Amino acid sequence: FYGKNSEEPLFILRKMIRISKRYRITSIADFVASRYGKSATLGGIITVIAVFGGIPYIALQLKAISYSFLIITGTTDTGGQTAFYVAIALALFAILFGTRHLNPLERHEGMVAAITFESIVKLLTFLLVGGFVTYGMFDGYDDIFTQAQKNPSLEHLFRFDPSTYPDLMWMTILSALVVILLPRQFHMAVVENVSESHINKAMWLFPLYLLLINLFVLPIALGGRIYFGNTQAADRFVLALP
């Protein structure tokens, strides 16, 4: 695709931003509906899908915060009260500081700054914990992978299994799609976009971020299994190992 009276190629994200600005779009549902004759029915269906699809994601976030609190404090919670209180706290935070109305011409710098800060903290945490596990608890990558290969419960992970290829392919495709099509991602990349020139920086900065945050994923995962066996859930390793 090319811009009107221009030789500049309009790739997917740039084209989405221009369409959204032109038609004053504020959600992924509005965007898709606008491509099909501004169908209100289609927009409603996509909204319902986004709401129901987001419930498990929100549940995972509540579970993660609750587990983090319990691990740090060294306490247990059999009744799920921690998650309940976390949900109330997050609801109050959203009411006080969330986006109360959407105006295509208005930008929410505070929300963007909060997500930026969250992303930086998350990256630094992964790098620090990954470095501690890889070079503090173990003697580098070679040591972790060597111990994992010798572990009877982990050695199968180092064998290629063709039956897993279809799952890997679809997970890769879904992961690529959600970069833009998740409601939160669409809002940040398209609705909150101030200048198309930011795409040029995002084209290298976003892949670099993904590369850095995944540097220690395998060492943390394998290190956790070596250290804890099956007594600890894998999603707790980042906190439990330190």
Side-chain angles (χ1 to χ4, degrees):
F1 302 100
Y2 289 85
K4 194 175 291 185
N5 301 322
S6 171
E7 295 300 316
E8 176 192 13
L10 291 182
F11 296 107
I12 294 175
L13 185 56
R14 197 182 304 272
K15 195 164 190 283
M16 290 172 68
I17 290 173
R18 291 193 181 181
I19 290 171
S20 297
K21 290 183 183 297
R22 179 180 301 174
Y23 295 104
R24 303 168 68 87
I25 289 171
T26 58
S27 72
I28 186 70
D30 290 342
F31 179 83
V32 177
S34 72
R35 301 291 83 199
Y36 293 90
K38 298 183 179 180
S39 170
T41 302
L42 180 59
I45 292 173
I46 295 172
T47 300
V48 171
I49 292 173
V51 169
F52 281 96
I55 291 174
Y57 180 77
I58 295 172
L60 284 175
Q61 300 302 307
L62 293 174
K63 181 180 176 182
I65 296 174
S66 302
Y67 280 166
S68 300
F69 176 79
L70 295 176
I71 291 172
I72 291 173
T73 58
T75 56
T76 58
D77 178 18
T78 56
Q81 293 181 349
T82 302
F84 176 72
Y85 293 132
V86 167
I88 292 177
L90 292 180
L92 290 174
F93 184 87
I95 292 171
L96 294 173
F97 301 103
T99 304
R100 304 184 186 188
H101 61 279
L102 283 178
N103 184 333
L105 303 178
E106 182 181 355
R107 296 293 174 262
H108 306 89
E109 289 85 358
M111 182 182 67
V112 174
I115 293 177
T116 303
F117 179 74
E118 169 208 2
S119 302
I120 294 173
V121 170
K122 191 180 296 182
L123 176 60
L124 291 177
T125 302
F126 262 83
L127 293 177
L128 288 172
V129 172
F132 168 76
V133 172
T134 306
Y135 300 103
M137 297 181 62
F138 297 88
D139 192 21
Y141 279 82
D142 289 343
D143 182 36
I144 292 179
F145 281 90
T146 300
Q147 290 193 41
Q149 283 181 302
K150 294 179 180 179
N151 190 312
S153 64
L154 298 176
E155 56 89 21
H156 70 279
L157 297 175
F158 295 87
R159 294 197 303 266
F160 287 104
D161 184 0
S163 65
T164 63
Y165 290 173
D167 289 342
L168 177 62
M169 180 188 72
W170 286 114
M171 287 295 291
T172 303
I173 292 173
L174 283 174
S175 299
L177 290 175
V178 299
V179 168
I180 294 179
L181 298 182
L182 273 181
R184 160 175 161 157
Q185 299 295 104
F186 177 86
H187 186 88
M188 291 302 298
V190 177
V191 178
E192 293 294 338
N193 178 267
V194 177
S195 170
E196 286 186 21
S197 63
H198 293 168
I199 298 176
N200 298 328
K201 183 182 292 184
M203 286 171 63
W204 63 265
L205 189 58
F206 182 65
L208 176 62
Y209 182 93
L210 293 180
L211 174 65
L212 292 176
I213 205 168
N214 281 281
L215 282 178
F216 294 109
V217 168
L218 287 178
I220 291 174
L222 294 175
R225 279 286 171 251
I226 294 170
Y227 190 83
F228 293 114
N230 292 320
T231 63
Q232 190 78 255
D235 54 3
R236 305 184 190 183
F237 288 167
V238 172
L239 282 177
L241 283 171

